Amino acid sequence: MDVLSSNVRDDALVAEGSFVVELAGFNGPLDLLLALIRDEQVDIYDIPVARICEQFLGRMHELKLNEAAEYLEMAARLIRIKAQMLLPRKDGIEGWEDPRAELVRRLLEYQQMREVVDVLEKLGEDRRNRFSRSYTQQAAAPPPAPLALSLSDLLVAVDRVLRAARKPTIHEVIPRALDVDGAMQTVRAVLQLRALARWRDVVRPDAEPWEVLSGLLALLELAKRSELHLTQPRPFADVEIRRELAGEAA
Amino acid sequence: MNSLAKLLEAALFASPRPIPVDELAALDPEASPAAVQSAIDELREHYDVDGHGVELVDVGGGWQVLTRPEYTEAIERAQMAVRPARLSPAALETLAIIAYRQPIGRAEVAEIRGVDVGAVIKGLHERGLIDVVGRAEGLGRALLYGTTSLFLEQFALRHLEELPRVDELAIALRRDGLLPADAPVVPPATDDGATAAAAAEAAPADAEPQPA
Amino acid sequence: MNSLAKLLEAALFASPRPIPVDELAALDPEASPAAVQSAIDELREHYDVDGHGVELVDVGGGWQVLTRPEYTEAIERAQMAVRPARLSPAALETLAIIAYRQPIGRAEVAEIRGVDVGAVIKGLHERGLIDVVGRAEGLGRALLYGTTSLFLEQFALRHLEELPRVDELAIALRRDGLLPADAPVVPPATDDGATAAAAAEAAPADAEPQPA
């Protein structure tokens, strides 16, 4: 009877709710697991994994959490631990690692954090019960405080950005997005060395997007000026860049 | 009240945010720090002893005038002011972790909570309760988050140290060496291929500045 | 003060606008109009006689607590005298990217920094350090930003070319003692597992300021 009524209640919750985790009343798999450990009154340092795992899967099904990746991941973890616990072991052997250790650590960590949440909740609620001044008297906002800026701050920031970017994307001090002129000079220089060049000869393999674009535009521009001739023997083949003698002379 | 206390009161009433002591002192360049402190004390005592609907509170590194809690309900019922929305449990959990572990990356918060926290972190950032305070070393150079002065203000904290110390919490963590000595657990297995791989997956190196 | 006067004080303080008498009366359904009027009188007299920095003013259409005019000048002066603000690291990084990559759109800056930069760009724009200098070609025609003459002025530059080239940056920073002499010029290797692990281990010492 109890089981039935609790199922009915949960189904009602499922029908009303819109968001699985919210409606389940749990803030994630660790929260659910802690609730089970509490309900079953088991020792967190000696979790009966088989029993808790079964309960966890049951609750997942009951709460229709089967689709939630985080719960699935935890379920898989529990099943793995359960299997590891079944492996035969000789007591007292040095170096045996309790397969539950990592889970226990995470549960304790999460439980500790829940305790902090209770503290924050109370503090936040106390503060919410006090109003600060909401009327601002100045007709206009006061002028912002003067800025204290130094070039070194800016340069250190540039350095930070460079170090942070996966690939440093800042190359040019001169404010321009592309360097077509530079790329054209590169192409001309390459074509002075050899009559037939390929894409890789004019744009290095690890080129930034702006360099690739600059190179492409340079080739098109030079082709337009008849300084070179672009051919592609067949689709997807390397583009061949040929010196156009007439164009160079002109 | 003396004239400095009145000046401070006027400034505190004019400001919706807490005012740091040094800014209060700047109101009267002639006033000594001791005089400013005693004016603050006088004002606070005046509100308390004389019976006012407001009080002077030390919060977030400054002073702020706030209404007393007993009037909140009537004020809200009369629709003269609205309390800010309560934070969701998910937001509070995330905030708690960031408050204690700052600077901390998103992946590490997610690891502790056991769920993805991208949207929650975005929301806390938009509300001004957390901010980017740096980047992790190593792969990916993940953004690291910390709490802001608005966080202190909204939880009526003077500073972070007012939060309970980790070793004062009922649940102490092994990472702080506080697990009961007879606890039948050992540090997480690292020679178990499956476990180690799973741990590595869950906690990308970039966001895991764990004490060695 | 009586408790109704205290309630009125709290409400008047919390309200963003003047409150008409009938709304003040609604705060306490039990209170008679005469009681409300006498509470208003008491509060006003208290502010006047007792010597407060604020006063209760009938601003037409309602009552409001305002700072006394004789203090407004000092408050404004103090705001002007507030220590010069520094740009946040986030704002500086954004400004640096715009300075070196202008004209550049918001999305591109966001991509380099790894976070949304809308608010930061707005702030820099309001400060007059950057301005819209054009629109991108193509879909959406995003606004492109560049630095202003105020930017040059603030950093004491004659023109943008006075900024060191990026490949000279490390040298310039070291010369000015802003980087340790042994700082790597390029970002640390990212595909070397050992290096990343070592970096992650080296980081936590100061990365975990837990409430002590």
Side-chain angles (χ1 to χ4, degrees):
Chain A
M1 192 58 197
D2 275 340
V3 173
L4 182 65
S5 60
S6 101
N7 277 345
V8 168
R9 196 188 60 228
D10 285 334
D11 281 345
L13 280 174
V14 170
E16 277 169 27
S18 52
F19 182 49
V20 265
V21 182
E22 291 279 328
L23 87 94
F26 295 106
N27 293 317
L30 289 168
D31 199 17
L32 173 55
L33 207 50
L34 271 184
L36 292 176
I37 288 168
R38 205 171 38 237
D39 292 352
E40 296 288 304
Q41 298 188 320
V42 301
D43 180 2
I44 197 168
Y45 293 103
D46 190 17
I47 300 170
V49 180
R51 189 162 112 222
I52 291 296
C53 180
E54 196 178 311
Q55 299 260 359
F56 188 87
L57 293 172
R59 294 290 279 169
M60 266 179 74
H61 182 68
E62 213 172 284
L63 298 170
K64 306 213 186 318
L65 293 170
N66 297 352
E67 303 290 316
E70 291 127 354
Y71 288 83
L72 284 175
E73 196 258 331
M74 178 59 73
R77 191 179 294 255
L78 289 172
I79 291 167
R80 195 175 60 224
I81 295 172
K82 187 174 119 182
Q84 284 169 344
M85 294 292 285
L86 292 174
L87 291 177
R89 66 170 195 268
K90 284 179 190 148
D91 281 341
I93 279 195
E94 295 266 328
W96 181 75
E97 310 278 9
D98 190 327
R100 300 168 297 184
E102 169 66 12
L103 185 64
V104 171
R105 184 194 68 76
R106 286 187 65 191
L107 281 170
L108 289 174
E109 192 173 43
Y110 183 77
Q111 206 174 356
Q112 182 186 52
M113 191 272 311
R114 290 294 318 172
E115 207 178 324
V116 177
V117 166
D118 291 342
V119 173
L120 282 182
E121 202 155 28
K122 187 180 173 306
L123 290 172
E125 202 51 26
D126 287 350
R127 178 58 185 80
R128 277 182 78 245
N129 285 329
R130 297 152 178 271
F131 292 114
S132 66
R133 178 77 153 164
S134 52
Y135 170 70
T136 37
Q137 251 169 284
Q138 291 77 16
L147 279 173
L149 295 177
S150 75
L151 187 55
S152 57
D153 286 345
L154 184 75
L155 296 183
V156 170
V158 178
D159 185 62
R160 272 203 312 273
V161 170
L162 282 175
R163 281 160 198 282
R166 244 171 243 273
K167 289 184 289 183
T169 41
I170 298 177
H171 285 275
E172 292 293 316
V173 176
I174 308 147
R176 66 186 167 201
L178 298 174
D179 183 13
V180 180
D181 288 343
M184 279 164 61
Q185 279 170 23
T186 308
V187 174
R188 285 196 186 109
V190 168
L191 288 181
Q192 274 191 349
L193 293 174
R194 51 177 80 167
L196 171 64
R198 294 184 193 279
W199 173 249
R200 279 286 162 246
D201 298 328
V202 296
V203 177
R204 53 197 176 82
D206 56 346
E208 297 293 330
W210 70 269
E211 291 173 305
V212 175
L213 278 177
S214 302
L216 184 62
L217 289 176
L219 288 178
L220 294 175
E221 180 65 24
L222 288 171
K224 197 174 90 187
R225 294 186 196 177
S226 303
E227 288 188 35
L228 54 78
H229 189 73
L230 297 171
T231 53
Q232 196 174 21
R234 52 184 191 283
F236 305 113
D238 273 359
V239 172
E240 291 173 356
I241 306 161
R242 277 173 214 282
R243 192 191 308 156
E244 197 82 64
L245 289 170
E248 209 174 324
Chain B
M1 286 201 284
N2 75 34
S3 71
L4 182 56
K6 287 194 269 183
L7 174 57
L8 298 193
E9 184 186 39
L12 288 162
F13 258 71
S15 169
R17 301 287 314 274
I19 307 181
V21 175
D22 57 344
E23 282 182 35
L24 285 176
L27 284 163
D28 182 356
E30 318 262 288
S32 68
V36 171
Q37 191 51 54
S38 91
I40 292 172
D41 291 343
E42 186 185 346
L43 189 57
R44 184 163 55 158
E45 210 173 290
H46 179 85
Y47 287 152
D48 288 347
V49 175
D50 218 45
H52 274 260
V54 295
E55 61 184 321
L56 188 56
V57 182
D58 180 4
V59 62
W63 291 92
Q64 187 173 30
V65 178
L66 296 174
T67 61
R68 291 181 193 274
E70 54 261 48
Y71 305 115
T72 300
E73 216 188 294
I75 292 170
E76 200 169 49
R77 202 170 348 106
Q79 298 183 337
M80 286 162 188
V82 188
R83 281 189 285 180
R86 214 182 253 118
L87 287 176
S88 71
L92 273 173
E93 282 190 5
T94 305
L95 204 49
I97 294 167
I98 293 175
Y100 275 77
R101 295 286 177 81
Q102 55 190 306
I104 184 173
R106 174 181 146 176
E108 202 188 350
V109 178
E111 158 82 359
I112 295 172
R113 286 200 54 222
V115 292
D116 182 59
V117 292
V120 178
I121 282 193
K122 186 157 174 280
L124 291 172
H125 193 212
E126 276 165 5
R127 278 183 81 150
L129 294 171
I130 61 170
D131 204 356
V132 175
V133 295
R135 278 182 187 267
E137 296 292 325
L139 276 173
R141 308 204 32 94
L143 297 174
L144 298 177
Y145 294 89
T147 53
T148 62
S149 61
L150 188 66
F151 164 77
L152 294 177
E153 188 189 329
Q154 296 216 343
F155 290 88
L157 293 164
R158 265 174 296 184
H159 36 71
L160 278 176
E161 284 72 20
E162 282 200 339
L163 287 173
R165 288 157 35 141
V166 171
D167 57 9
E168 287 166 357
L169 297 171
I171 308 294
L173 275 187
R174 195 210 61 240
R175 68 185 297 153
D176 302 301
L178 295 167
L179 205 72
D182 59 344
V185 288
V186 288
T190 47
D191 52 348
D192 173 349
T195 313
E201 259 173 48
D206 58 356
E208 275 277 334
Q210 283 185 343
Chain C
M1 285 201 286
N2 75 36
S3 71
L4 183 56
K6 288 195 266 183
L7 171 57
L8 297 193
E9 184 186 40
L12 288 161
F13 176 81
S15 168
R17 55 188 171 82
I19 308 179
V21 175
D22 57 334
E23 285 185 42
L24 282 176
L27 280 164
D28 182 357
E30 317 261 288
S32 68
V36 172
Q37 190 52 56
S38 94
I40 293 173
D41 291 343
E42 186 186 347
L43 187 58
R44 182 162 57 160
E45 212 173 289
H46 179 86
Y47 285 154
D48 289 347
V49 176
D50 217 45
H52 275 262
V54 294
E55 59 184 331
L56 187 57
V57 184
D58 183 358
V59 291
W63 290 96
Q64 193 162 30
V65 179
L66 295 175
T67 60
R68 288 183 191 276
E70 57 259 46
Y71 299 117
T72 50
E73 200 199 329
I75 294 170
E76 272 168 27
R77 208 176 41 230
Q79 271 166 345
M80 297 295 286
V82 165
R83 269 165 303 143
R86 304 176 68 86
L87 286 178
S88 68
L92 269 174
E93 286 182 16
T94 303
L95 190 57
I97 293 167
I98 293 174
Y100 276 78
R101 290 291 295 275
Q102 56 190 306
I104 184 171
R106 173 182 147 175
E108 207 183 338
V109 179
E111 190 176 340
I112 295 172
R113 287 206 54 231
V115 283
D116 182 59
V117 291
V120 178
I121 283 193
K122 187 157 170 278
L124 291 172
H125 194 212
E126 277 168 7
R127 292 244 184 220
L129 293 170
I130 61 170
D131 204 354
V132 175
V133 295
R135 275 181 182 273
E137 295 294 323
L139 275 175
R141 303 193 43 83
L143 296 176
L144 297 177
Y145 294 89
T147 52
T148 61
S149 56
L150 182 67
F151 166 85
L152 294 177
E153 195 184 307
Q154 290 275 352
F155 289 102
L157 296 166
R158 269 168 304 177
H159 38 73
L160 277 176
E161 284 71 18
E162 283 197 343
L163 286 174
R165 290 168 43 101
V166 164
D167 51 10
E168 296 163 357
L169 189 63
I171 299 161
L173 289 173
R174 261 186 229 134
R175 186 192 55 216
D176 298 340
L178 296 165
L179 272 188
D182 57 349
V185 177
V186 288
T190 50
D191 53 347
D192 177 353
T195 311
E201 260 173 41
D206 57 341
E208 191 120 342
Q210 288 187 344

